[in-house]
Amino acid sequence: MKKELHRSRWWVVLSIFMLALVYACNGTNEDPPVAVIDPFAVRIYPAIRFQVIRGFGGSTAFHPTNGTLPTQADFNTLFGTGPGQLGLTILRIRLASDDDPSWRNTELNHALMARALGAKVIASPWSPPIRMKTNNNLIGGTIRADAFEAYARYLNDFARWMSANGAPLYAVSIQNEPDITVSYESCHWSAEQMRDFLRLHGHLITE
């Protein structure tokens, strides 16, 4: 106990000495200025570009079990630029599995209505087709490593199909929420899987 107390006294003396040394090196008898940071201050540097905002938008990716699909009037309200309209500029659609052609056609119609009002369209898959997954199920699981090339071509084929039907995509993503665990259509991707997929097969997505 005495040794610990003796040691702590030395630390106190040393700390006081270091503080005195820093103060002496300051070259002034005045207290050093204290920076006051306003947490609510907003500084805008118009000459510096940090990132580009392409626009703002919404999604029709969710399949309504009860209810009606959005109409042309709804799209006019969302993507129109007139009085009382929101003027959104991006629509995200669900890249439905090719086992669900009816929803693919539904999302194509959504894309056509949005594009007619000047919006960009992006697509996100909730899951690869079950034939490419480890659990043979649209829910959960992960993509098989030997299916990477087939999946890249699958994404590109969807983009080509959209373009051929009058609704070319601005962008397509690899996976919606790749690290989430849910009870609906989904697929888990690790960071390493995402890296390897892009590095080895990303060049196949060209449409």
Side-chain angles (χ1 to χ4, degrees), residues 5 13 47 56 58-60 81-82 89 93 100 102 105 137 161 173 181:
L5 183 60
V13 172
F56 298 90
S59 177
T60 55
T81 56
T89 57
I93 64 172
D100 189 6
S102 63
N105 287 322
N137 196 311
W161 178 78
S173 67
T181 300

Side-chain angles (χ1 to χ4, degrees), residues 155-179:
L155 296 178
N156 198 56
D157 287 346
F158 177 80
R160 184 180 293 117
W161 178 78
M162 290 290 293
S163 183
N165 285 278
L169 297 175
Y170 179 77
V172 60
S173 67
I174 297 173
Q175 172 64 42
N176 174 68
E177 297 178 326
D179 59 352

Side-chain angles (χ1 to χ4, degrees), residues 119-162:
K120 296 181 176 71
V121 179
I122 62 177
S124 296
W126 263 242
S127 172
I130 60 175
R131 62 183 180 274
M132 300 181 189
K133 298 183 69 178
T134 56
N135 63 347
N136 200 40
N137 196 311
L138 286 178
I139 300 173
T142 188
I143 188 169
R144 300 197 328 264
D146 62 353
F148 275 9
E149 181 177 345
Y151 186 53
R153 296 188 186 280
Y154 169 83
L155 296 178
N156 198 56
D157 287 346
F158 177 80
R160 184 180 293 117
W161 178 78
M162 290 290 293

Side-chain angles (χ1 to χ4, degrees), residues 13-151:
V13 172
L14 181 62
S15 298
I16 294 173
F17 173 76
M18 292 300 294
L19 286 173
L21 180 63
V22 170
Y23 186 73
C25 291
N26 190 41
T28 177
N29 292 327
E30 298 179 0
D31 291 335
V34 177
V36 178
I37 301 175
D38 182 356
F40 301 104
V42 177
R43 293 177 176 83
I44 299 175
Y45 303 94
I48 303 175
R49 175 179 290 185
F50 292 99
Q51 66 184 40
V52 176
I53 298 175
R54 300 293 182 188
F56 298 90
S59 177
T60 55
F62 309 101
H63 201 315
T65 54
N66 295 302
T68 58
L69 294 171
T71 64
Q72 182 65 65
D74 294 325
F75 273 86
N76 291 342
T77 299
L78 292 169
F79 295 94
T81 56
Q85 297 176 328
L86 294 179
L88 299 180
T89 57
I90 299 173
L91 171 68
R92 185 172 75 129
I93 64 172
R94 171 173 166 256
L95 198 166
S97 169
D98 52 9
D99 298 323
D100 189 6
S102 63
W103 189 247
R104 283 196 167 198
N105 287 322
T106 296
E107 287 286 61
L108 171 62
N109 290 332
H110 293 157
L112 290 170
M113 286 190 284
R115 280 185 53 81
L117 294 164
K120 296 181 176 71
V121 179
I122 62 177
S124 296
W126 263 242
S127 172
I130 60 175
R131 62 183 180 274
M132 300 181 189
K133 298 183 69 178
T134 56
N135 63 347
N136 200 40
N137 196 311
L138 286 178
I139 300 173
T142 188
I143 188 169
R144 300 197 328 264
D146 62 353
F148 275 9
E149 181 177 345
Y151 186 53

